[in-house]
Amino acid sequence: MTIKELLDMGADTLNKAGINESRLDAWYLLSYYMNMTRNEYYKNPGRTVTDDEINGYGRLIAEREKRKPLQYITGEQEFMGLTFKVNNNVLIPRQDTEMLTELVIKHAEGKRVLDMCTGSGCIAISIAKYAKALSVTASDVSRKALSIAGKNAKDNDVKVEFIESNIWDNIDGQYDILVSNPPYIASDEMKRLMPEVRLNEPHLALYGGSDGLDFYADILKNISGKIVKGGKVFFEIGCSQAGRVSDLLEKYGFKDIKTEKDLAGLDRVVWGSLV
Ligand code: GLN
């Protein structure tokens, strides 16, 4: 069997399993397994593959066939031009979240930034990399997530302080900026998530209570004294939550509350300043 035939076979298997970008996923897995660029592939698509290669690649295709996300198979996702290690203890960083991150980077110079519910650490680490923040702290309730986030900070050569904490429980410092992409999926939406997400990504990182708003409410309820006057909060939100999250911010003393849309034109970020 040639390497082209192997790729065709992978694509065909994924296509039959109803996976949308079957050919692209089959290619990514081949490239990952063979450690090979597109260019190298095209130099000799007629190369004969070994039995080991057929079996090894076949195992990866079988995982994807069962709807394991590509990123949990390869163990990586790119975000803000940086590479992040991922496993099923952390949410896979989403491109949508780059908007939130870029917005915070614009405001972070000289500030003490706290990223709550950091997961893979993608937001905090990108801020530490690209902004001239005074300090970057990141917290998560999951020790397993923090272990990945710590590796990611090291791999990307940035200094981030990590704190294991359920919301504010173990956070003693004061901050100028709070950023968070907390779990915000509501109960009825959980069932409708793609199988990749529903069956593989951590429930802990997705589920935000019956209306999806539990974390915003819990974070804001005890924010007094943690964020300085004039400090800012930036939240990623579900596209139907802008109004309700803005109301919560107002209730807890924030003003200049704004909503930002993502590239798809959906509400994605709500932010405001504490008076
Ligand atoms: N902050 C992480 C991210 O944006 C994790 C978010 C989460 O677990 N809800 O990817």
Side-chain angles (χ1 to χ4, degrees):
M1 182 186 282
T2 67
I3 195 161
K4 177 175 186 306
E5 285 164 348
L6 184 63
L7 174 60
D8 289 347
M9 197 176 78
D12 191 48
T13 306
L14 298 186
N15 187 31
K16 287 205 177 100
I19 288 165
N20 280 338
E21 310 246 14
S22 50
R23 180 118 205 134
L24 197 59
D25 283 10
W27 161 253
Y28 280 136
L29 289 175
L30 188 74
S31 158
Y32 165 74
Y33 183 72
M34 302 283 187
N35 195 14
M36 181 179 65
T37 65
R38 199 92 191 144
N39 211 327
E40 284 159 356
Y41 169 80
Y42 277 118
K43 265 184 204 151
N44 192 4
R47 162 170 93 73
T48 304
V49 284
T50 66
D51 285 348
D52 273 0
E53 286 174 333
I54 296 172
N55 294 333
Y57 178 65
R59 275 193 292 275
L60 301 188
I61 288 290
E63 288 189 71
R64 185 70 193 99
E65 195 184 2
K66 284 187 241 134
R67 297 288 174 153
K68 190 164 181 180
L70 200 61
Q71 295 90 336
Y72 287 156
I73 302 175
T74 63
E76 282 183 3
Q77 170 65 32
E78 196 182 297
F79 179 84
M80 296 290 295
L82 304 172
T83 302
F84 289 88
K85 287 204 173 76
V86 293
N87 64 22
N88 62 4
N89 294 305
V90 297
L91 199 78
I92 299 165
R94 304 297 204 266
Q95 206 184 348
D96 287 337
T97 305
E98 292 186 348
M99 217 212 81
L100 170 74
T101 310
E102 282 175 292
L103 189 62
V104 176
I105 289 170
K106 282 190 205 142
H107 289 87
E109 184 166 348
K111 308 289 192 211
R112 296 160 297 176
V113 180
L114 172 64
D115 170 24
M116 194 172 272
C117 308
T118 197
S120 65
C122 61
I123 298 173
I125 291 164
S126 301
I127 294 168
K129 193 81 187 175
Y130 297 117
K132 294 194 180 70
L134 187 61
S135 64
V136 181
T137 305
S139 68
D140 204 286
V141 69
S142 158
R143 184 172 300 186
K144 289 178 178 164
L146 287 173
S147 144
I148 296 285
K151 282 197 194 94
N152 282 326
K154 204 160 169 257
D155 289 355
N156 284 294
D157 198 23
V158 296
K159 192 167 156 264
V160 173
E161 180 196 8
F162 291 100
I163 302 176
E164 185 181 333
S165 180
N166 181 19
I167 315 288
W168 297 107
D169 287 358
N170 301 325
I171 306 217
D172 302 320
Q174 249 203 345
Y175 300 89
D176 305 297
I177 290 180
L178 172 92
V179 53
S180 186
N181 174 23
Y184 56 68
I185 311 289
S187 305
D188 57 334
E189 295 165 44
M190 286 296 288
K191 315 188 260 299
R192 294 199 295 267
L193 294 171
M194 290 156 64
E196 275 79 356
V197 180
R198 185 165 40 84
L199 304 174
N200 294 280
E201 297 203 273
H203 188 265
L204 194 63
L206 295 167
Y207 182 56
S210 57
D211 59 3
L213 301 175
D214 282 8
F215 285 83
Y216 306 107
D218 286 350
I219 291 171
L220 291 171
K221 193 165 67 191
N222 292 311
I223 202 165
S224 166
K226 308 287 191 184
I227 300 294
V228 295
K229 279 209 181 321
K232 290 183 167 61
V233 167
F234 298 81
F235 284 134
E236 181 168 311
I237 55 157
C239 59
S240 65
Q241 296 169 335
R244 287 171 294 161
V245 173
S246 300
D247 290 349
L248 277 171
L249 278 165
E250 203 177 329
K251 174 173 165 190
Y252 290 102
F254 287 78
K255 61 159 201 181
D256 296 333
I257 299 160
K258 298 186 186 76
T259 300
E260 312 287 342
K261 292 187 188 304
D262 63 20
L263 294 172
L266 301 171
D267 290 344
R268 188 56 65 201
V269 169
V270 169
W271 59 296
S273 304
L274 189 60
V275 282

